[in-house]
Amino acid sequence: MSTYNEDGTWKSKVEGNQRASSAGGTKAEQQAQGRQMAQDRGVEHTIRKLNGQIGEKNSYGNDDSPPKG
């Protein structure tokens, strides 16, 4: 799951899909949409900065390398 900006529009997209699952609004609004979709699917949510660099990653299950402890 990724939240990113494309051509001035914030979007959230499930990895593997061709098109965004949600688009429009502010970055914060799309982050919330993307977070909810990632939680529902139990996947990682990557939030990209305006320049495309990864700004944040959050995992909601199915980790390949869960923390030890």
Side-chain angles (χ1 to χ4, degrees):
M1 182 90 239
S2 289
T3 297
Y4 60 97
N5 189 290
E6 182 177 68
D7 299 325
T9 302
W10 286 100
K11 300 178 179 185
S12 292
K13 179 171 112 175
V14 175
E15 300 305 322
N17 286 358
Q18 298 248 342
R19 296 178 11 180
S21 302
S22 177
T26 65
K27 180 179 181 180
E29 290 168 336
Q30 278 305 314
Q31 270 184 263
Q33 286 277 344
R35 181 183 314 111
Q36 187 61 55
M37 287 188 276
Q39 287 172 341
D40 292 346
R41 290 167 176 78
V43 298
E44 185 174 77
H45 180 210
T46 302
I47 302 156
R48 296 194 174 271
K49 297 177 184 181
L50 191 56
N51 66 6
Q53 291 181 333
I54 294 173
E56 186 178 333
K57 280 188 176 188
N58 298 295
S59 182
Y60 300 101
N62 297 331
D63 279 344
D64 290 337
S65 304
K68 295 181 180 168

